[in-house]
Amino acid sequence: MANPRPYMKFNAFTMITPSHHGPGLAFEPGSSQLDYHLPQPWIDLAVLLEKGFFDTIFFADVLAPYEVFRRSPAATITEGMQFPTGDPSVLIPLLAYHTRHLGFVFTSNVLQAHPYEFARRVSTLDHLTGGRVGWNIVTSFLPGAGRNLGFGGLPEHTERYRRAEEYTAAVYKLWEHSWDDDAAVRDTATRTFADPTKVHAVKHHGEFYDLDGPHLCEPSPQRTPLLFQAGMSPTGRAFAGRHAEGLFISALDPHAAAPVVADVRRATIDAGRDPHNVKIFVPQSYLLASTEQEARRRDAELLERQTIEGNAARMAVFEKHDWGTEDLAARVADLRHRDVSAPVRKLLDWSSRDDWTLGELLLRWGNQRIVGTPEQIADNIERWHNAGVDGINLEYVTSPGSFAEFIEHVVPILQSRGLMQDKYTDGTLREKFFGQGPRLPGEHPARGH
């Protein structure tokens, strides 16, 4: 069947940490996650992903341990759950050296580095990778990150987005407007590297940041990295409409995604941009086997080997509720007839099963993955495609196993259906995503400063 839209995009969602979204599974046989601090597993993963025609390896990041559960990071530290964590930007040049086409998107929040320093780091990465870098713009969600960075806690939501607007304005000026395209002449005859009349100081004096100097790097292949964002609040969506080229949405199923996709596209139009200049992604986790029964058996065995406490520590942050204040050993059947907190009631309403404890229910709620045969997983991806979603942020169950299985068994099916590329196009990451030039389109606010 002919595919009326471009190929879907596939990001391998990971983090330089023992365990990203599957607490406890770093200890599974065949996992390289305990060696997160060594280079070879990352090199092997990048090479594998490029052989499987993934678009990017996408690095999440946090700057504090999860500490809502029992008001302590103890469970997080015990599980190695997003702690410790390394700096993904440092790893990118190594992986770029071993690949040719794979893109590299890293997360950096607007609190952690001054825009002048950050702009130089990104331009350096863009040069060293040949234009294969993307930036996931975040405003942080962990109070501990705000404390660790000297803010005394996390600034309130609207202030964080004011900071994000000013931060992006500052780095755009550096990336897009400090150097003319022809400033770096490299003239051996006159021994002139750059024309000083074509290198301009950036003078930015705002509410949060001050800059007064030229960008320290000559223009990189993309100038501005490919821009990602994940905010789903009204403020976050408006910000994404103005800035994002890749956007992550939260939707439980393709049917629920369609109105969210439409709303995001409207935000882009409201910002004066072409809605097709934004790729919309959903996070998905898959566990597969040759039969559905075998896949479900594998899923049940993995759940048995995961701890309730590690999962509670993760879900406490996402749900903004300390599950340590609840009786996780209480039977679900008994809780249905009690006066319980709103988070517990939400959890009870999610499942009709009565034969689990609250902790077992929480474990399953926090580890929702699509379980089935390769064909069933391809069907799931096709439904997302038909709902208007442009790509999948693939969360591993175990690494590199989840990615290797997906590449071996699902990718050929997707390629046969015209849903996934079977060869790379040349050019920068932006060119690979949109089939246009290496730079941001003229409609983007970065080009108008």
Side-chain angles (χ1 to χ4, degrees):
M1 182 177 67
N3 187 356
R5 295 170 53 224
Y7 295 124
M8 293 191 77
K9 300 294 181 184
F10 290 85
N11 302 324
F13 195 38
T14 188
M15 188 174 178
I16 306 179
T17 190
S19 182
H20 186 196
H21 278 304
L25 297 182
F27 302 94
E28 288 297 298
S31 167
S32 66
Q33 294 163 229
L34 295 180
D35 292 331
Y36 77 98
H37 59 305
L38 301 176
Q40 195 60 50
W42 294 106
I43 295 170
D44 294 343
L45 178 60
V47 171
L48 170 70
L49 294 170
E50 185 157 279
K51 287 181 178 178
F53 296 100
F54 270 64
D55 293 275
T56 81
I57 182 169
F58 191 106
F59 290 103
D61 197 19
V62 294
L63 291 177
Y66 287 9
E67 56 188 6
V68 175
F69 182 61
R70 295 175 180 164
R71 298 183 180 181
S72 167
T76 298
I77 295 170
T78 299
E79 295 274 352
M81 199 276 296
Q82 298 190 24
F83 184 88
T85 179
D87 181 346
S89 68
V90 175
L91 184 60
I92 289 172
L94 174 67
L95 305 187
Y97 179 79
H98 290 274
T99 55
R100 179 183 172 191
H101 292 286
L102 187 69
F104 306 97
V105 183
F106 74 102
T107 299
S108 181
N109 81 63
V110 297
L111 303 178
Q112 72 185 77
H114 191 279
Y116 193 74
E117 182 279 328
F118 180 71
R120 179 177 70 162
R121 178 153 36 109
V122 171
S123 293
T124 303
L125 291 171
D126 205 48
H127 279 298
L128 293 176
T129 62
R132 289 189 278 151
V133 168
W135 171 31
N136 181 32
I137 310 167
V138 296
T139 61
S140 193
F141 64 102
L142 296 174
R147 295 196 307 272
N148 294 339
L149 294 168
F151 291 90
L154 200 60
E156 55 93 18
H157 185 264
T158 56
E159 179 186 321
R160 297 202 306 276
Y161 272 99
R162 289 206 317 276
R163 285 181 174 273
E165 288 287 358
E166 186 179 337
Y167 196 99
T168 53
V171 293
Y172 291 162
K173 291 174 185 177
L174 292 163
W175 289 326
E176 295 288 338
H177 304 289
S178 183
W179 288 64
D180 293 353
D181 288 336
D182 58 351
V185 295
R186 288 179 168 79
D187 190 329
T188 303
T190 64
R191 305 180 75 83
T192 300
F193 178 79
D195 182 346
T197 67
K198 296 182 178 183
V199 179
H200 314 289
V202 169
K203 297 185 181 297
H204 175 95
H205 304 289
E207 181 181 2
F208 303 107
Y209 306 105
D210 288 293
L211 286 73
D212 192 357
H215 186 32
L216 289 168
C217 291
E218 63 181 287
S220 66
Q222 297 183 118
R223 280 191 176 255
T224 295
L226 196 67
L227 301 168
F228 287 81
Q229 208 264 332
M232 279 288 96
S233 67
T235 304
R237 290 191 192 187
F239 180 89
R242 288 188 291 275
H243 300 280
E245 298 174 275
L247 178 64
F248 304 105
I249 65 171
S250 296
L252 296 178
D253 58 69
H255 178 74
V260 180
V261 169
D263 187 53
V264 168
R265 303 260 186 235
R266 279 193 298 271
T268 309
I269 294 170
D270 291 345
R273 299 174 58 208
D274 183 341
H276 298 292
N277 285 337
V278 178
K279 300 291 186 185
I280 298 175
F281 291 81
V282 292
Q284 289 288 279
S285 180
Y286 298 114
L287 188 66
L288 61 95
S290 57
T291 67
E292 183 177 352
Q293 182 180 11
E294 174 64 13
R296 295 195 179 281
R297 184 191 65 78
R298 288 186 66 195
D299 184 47
E301 289 180 352
L302 288 174
L303 285 168
E304 285 294 322
R305 294 199 289 273
Q306 292 181 255
T307 69
I308 289 172
E309 287 202 350
N311 194 72
R314 182 171 69 97
M315 298 308 295
V317 172
F318 295 139
E319 295 300 320
K320 298 180 174 60
H321 177 69
D322 181 2
W323 291 100
T325 64
E326 307 289 352
D327 181 5
L328 297 178
R331 305 296 301 179
V332 167
D334 297 332
L335 291 172
R336 292 197 190 279
H337 307 291
R338 297 182 191 171
D339 184 18
V340 296
S341 66
V344 171
R345 180 58 60 191
K346 177 182 175 181
L347 188 57
L348 295 174
D349 291 343
W350 171 72
S351 174
S352 60
R353 294 285 295 266
D354 286 341
D355 54 333
W356 291 329
T357 65
L358 179 63
E360 290 170 334
L361 183 59
L362 180 64
L363 177 65
R364 286 157 176 82
W365 189 37
N367 288 277
Q368 298 179 59
R369 38 196 177 236
I370 305 301
V371 177
T373 66
E375 290 79 9
Q376 289 173 321
I377 288 169
D379 291 343
N380 172 267
I381 292 170
E382 189 162 8
R383 286 192 291 271
W384 286 110
H385 175 266
N386 293 337
V389 169
D390 299 299
I392 302 293
N393 228 28
L394 184 61
E395 298 177 355
Y396 66 82
V397 180
T398 61
S399 184
S402 295
F403 299 121
E405 291 178 353
F406 186 87
I407 288 168
E408 181 178 358
H409 299 291
V410 182
V411 165
I413 300 172
L414 296 174
Q415 290 171 333
S416 71
R417 298 185 188 185
L419 292 170
M420 186 174 184
Q421 64 187 355
D422 57 7
K423 62 181 178 181
Y424 287 106
T425 57
D426 290 329
T428 64
L429 188 56
R430 182 171 287 113
E431 289 172 289
K432 294 176 190 297
F433 260 59
F434 296 105
Q436 302 171 5
R439 294 189 60 183
L440 281 165
E443 66 184 23
H444 195 279
R447 298 293 299 274
H449 280 288

